[in-house]
Amino acid sequence: MKSKLLYLLFLSLPFAACKDNSIKISGKINNQSKGEYLMLQELKANSLETVDSLKLSENGEFSFEKEILYPTFYQLKTSDEDILTLLAEKGDNIKITAEFNK
């Protein structure tokens, strides 16, 4: 019995040591225009890189998932005037509710 317990503990160690290397950013944008796009951009030292984009659902819901290695700044944007900046790190599950153009 003791050896089975040690064996199970040994097998579970790699899983306990692993931290989820992904982030999830999801939410809802109320009062959005039909067919509006949302971009996920990564803020780098000297540039801003679009890493994903999607068309908002009919009710304004969205979801992005991305693998990351270290804490990173991101922007969610629908236009040059409608931007949300956030900092995400491994394992984050960020949920956002916002009003379009506010």
Side-chain angles (χ1 to χ4, degrees):
M1 178 68 176
K2 201 177 208 182
S3 64
K4 286 184 182 179
L5 183 60
L6 286 173
Y7 180 72
L8 286 173
L9 179 63
F10 179 74
L11 286 177
S12 66
L13 280 175
F15 296 107
C18 294
K19 186 175 181 184
D20 185 9
N21 288 339
S22 67
I23 59 167
K24 185 172 183 181
I25 304 169
S26 60
K28 183 175 181 178
I29 299 178
N30 297 314
N31 302 318
Q32 48 94 15
S33 302
K34 187 175 181 179
E36 194 69 43
Y37 280 87
L38 181 65
M39 291 185 290
L40 177 66
Q41 298 180 315
E42 183 176 336
L43 286 122
K44 298 194 174 212
N46 296 319
S47 64
L48 186 62
E49 179 183 326
T50 300
V51 293
D52 204 351
S53 65
L54 56 77
K55 185 187 256 187
L56 292 170
S57 71
E58 295 259 336
N59 62 355
E61 292 180 346
F62 65 91
S63 181
F64 292 105
E65 194 162 339
K66 182 163 178 15
E67 296 288 321
I68 64 172
L69 299 175
Y70 45 83
T72 307
F73 281 99
Y74 290 97
Q75 284 187 344
L76 287 174
K77 93 181 213 180
T78 55
S79 69
D80 288 336
E81 296 84 34
D82 202 16
I83 300 170
L84 173 69
T85 303
L86 51 99
L87 176 63
E89 65 179 323
K90 294 179 187 180
D92 279 353
N93 186 6
I94 301 168
K95 296 186 181 193
I96 298 167
T97 301
E99 293 294 322
F100 186 72
N101 283 334
K102 293 190 178 178

